[in-house]
Amino acid sequence: MDAERTGICLVGCGRVAKSHLAGAKQAKDSVRVAALVSRDAKKGEQYAACCGDVPVFATLEEAAARCAFEAVDLCVPNDLHCEYALRSAALGKHILVEKPMANTPADCVRMEDAAKRAGVTLMSGQSRRYYPAVLRSYEMAESGRWGALRCISAQLLGYLPGPPTPWWRDAARTGGLMLPLWGNHIFDYILWMFGEMPQTVYCVATRLNPAWEGEDEVAATLSFAGGRFACVRMSWNTRGGRGEWEGTERMLSSADILYQRQIQLDHGTLMLDDETRLVCDGETVFVDEEKESNFARMLREFASAIRQGRPPLTDAAAGRRAVAVQEACLRSAAENRLMRLTREETYV
């Protein structure tokens, strides 16, 4: 074992794994990629060549038996997150799992319980919290200088002609479409900023593009105590934005779409633009010009939390809460009704 760095086995060599591997390379003083797990041996070897020809294994258990590492980085499809987290905990490995943490809150609880029993860290891969502009927006809102948080309005508008990877076609695998694949990030931010769960959720969601089964048009409203609320509007059918993502191997970036959040405080308004620019009352106060990726920062936080024996910034509880709101939105849209969330994050 490397005393200074956390050894990681990356599981799943799909599209998002490229961003994780690039982040690990940037954060090489904190983490080292010790092994890869891929059911596609050829793809696994291609990915391994990009990070120093690390060994590739067909299963997680084989990797753990033949290679030394402390943690796993789960980049498998959404419907496999719970299964692989349980297997990782059984092996005594710390766990970073891509968002959404799982497709249901019940599976999130199973993952949390398994991690607690094994005494390992479980971290939700909310990579978009780690942009400096996003972190700065939280710090400014928390400072109290502009009063209390009242409302957050988020919009994500872009054009996606079809699924960039086959499993996105299947709503059972994705857990929906826009709500788990991007809405989960937005819900995580909203819950983090408000510091509590919403009291009610109402969502309208539909599908315009027959290329997939899940929702590609979404409008959701979350109400919080004290008359506060958040509104979320998302579309993958909106042309004419900053650009149009062609759906190739390249990861979807917020630079390809219109992605903004307005944060209304008692005495001021913050605006996040493309997660790299922060505006306060119409004046730009921060522009991210750093070259280190948000994935590198996320991996550093994962390694630091493990070494210090503390919960990470995007801990398992945060992951579960975002999934609870995601599920409430899906149920609200399916049943056309307002969902009231209890303190236990169930619905009535």
Side-chain angles (χ1 to χ4, degrees):
M1 292 286 187
D2 188 324
E4 300 298 324
R5 300 185 297 168
T6 300
I8 289 176
C9 174
L10 186 139
V11 182
C13 291
R15 297 168 55 261
V16 76
K18 291 182 179 180
S19 296
H20 284 248
L21 289 175
K25 187 175 292 186
Q26 289 183 319
K28 61 184 179 182
D29 58 327
S30 298
V31 300
R32 63 180 181 87
V33 178
L36 300 179
V37 172
S38 176
R39 287 186 282 190
D40 184 332
K42 184 176 180 181
K43 183 176 285 187
E45 294 295 340
Q46 291 173 344
Y47 278 48
C50 297
C51 52
D53 289 318
V54 299
V56 181
F57 301 96
T59 69
L60 174 59
E61 288 73 17
E62 182 185 5
R66 296 178 55 188
C67 195
F69 56 87
E70 301 161 76
V72 297
D73 184 358
L74 301 181
C75 296
V76 293
N78 297 357
D79 61 320
L80 299 177
H81 287 182
C82 182
E83 173 195 334
Y84 272 92
L86 298 181
R87 289 164 63 181
S88 300
L91 293 168
K93 306 300 182 183
H94 301 286
I95 306 157
L96 170 62
V97 56
E98 253 294 335
K99 71 88 195 63
M101 197 165 100
N103 277 348
T104 67
D107 276 349
C108 291
V109 171
R110 293 177 64 202
M111 294 160 68
E112 288 179 280
D113 289 346
K116 288 176 183 176
R117 288 194 302 270
V120 298
T121 297
L122 173 60
M123 176 174 170
S124 175
Q126 290 289 353
S127 58
R128 294 190 168 271
R129 269 223 226 164
Y130 294 92
Y131 282 99
V134 173
L135 293 165
R136 184 73 63 88
S137 73
Y138 177 81
E139 292 166 0
M140 291 180 69
E142 281 288 292
S143 72
R145 178 179 172 184
W146 292 273
L149 173 63
R150 296 300 175 185
C151 173
I152 296 177
S153 300
Q155 60 176 342
L156 187 148
L157 307 175
Y159 178 71
L160 182 59
T165 188
W167 67 271
W168 278 28
R169 298 180 188 276
D170 188 341
R173 302 210 69 189
T174 59
L177 190 69
M178 286 207 84
L179 283 163
L181 293 175
W182 204 298
N184 191 272
H185 276 310
I186 298 175
F187 297 143
D188 173 72
Y189 179 79
I190 290 170
L191 300 182
W192 180 46
M193 292 289 283
F194 277 103
E196 62 186 70
M197 289 292 287
Q199 295 180 333
T200 66
V201 170
Y202 183 73
C203 179
V204 178
T206 191
R207 179 191 67 173
L208 299 185
N209 189 339
W212 40 57
E213 295 176 351
E215 70 287 343
D216 54 24
E217 295 284 341
V218 174
T221 301
L222 288 60
S223 71
F224 294 84
R228 301 173 301 155
F229 61 94
C231 301
V232 178
R233 171 75 178 102
M234 298 188 293
S235 169
W236 268 343
N237 302 293
T238 303
R239 300 174 187 261
R242 287 195 172 104
E244 293 184 2
W245 182 42
E246 69 278 13
T248 63
E249 284 295 311
R250 182 175 64 82
M251 282 294 294
L252 173 64
S253 166
S254 52
D256 300 316
I257 55 184
L258 178 64
Y259 185 28
Q260 293 182 337
R261 277 160 287 178
Q262 286 77 34
I263 300 99
Q264 188 62 51
L265 306 165
D266 280 328
H267 310 298
T269 304
L270 302 177
M271 192 270 285
L272 272 170
D273 183 24
D274 186 24
E275 295 181 321
T276 57
R277 186 169 73 102
L278 179 61
V279 177
C280 180
D281 294 339
E283 179 181 349
T284 299
V285 296
F286 181 80
V287 176
D288 183 9
E289 297 178 348
E290 297 182 37
K291 295 183 179 179
E292 187 171 70
S293 75
N294 55 313
F295 287 92
R297 298 184 187 103
M298 178 178 68
L299 286 164
R300 288 186 192 280
E301 171 66 6
F302 183 43
S304 176
I306 291 170
R307 297 299 187 194
Q308 296 175 17
R310 61 170 175 82
L313 174 61
T314 51
D315 62 8
R320 168 173 39 82
R321 292 178 188 124
V323 171
V325 173
Q326 170 187 307
E327 183 178 74
C329 284
L330 288 165
R331 285 190 56 186
S332 174
E335 300 172 16
N336 189 28
R337 68 183 180 100
L338 184 75
M339 309 300 292
R340 299 186 183 277
L341 279 72
T342 69
R343 286 183 136 186
E344 292 74 32
E345 299 167 22
T346 55
Y347 320 108
V348 294

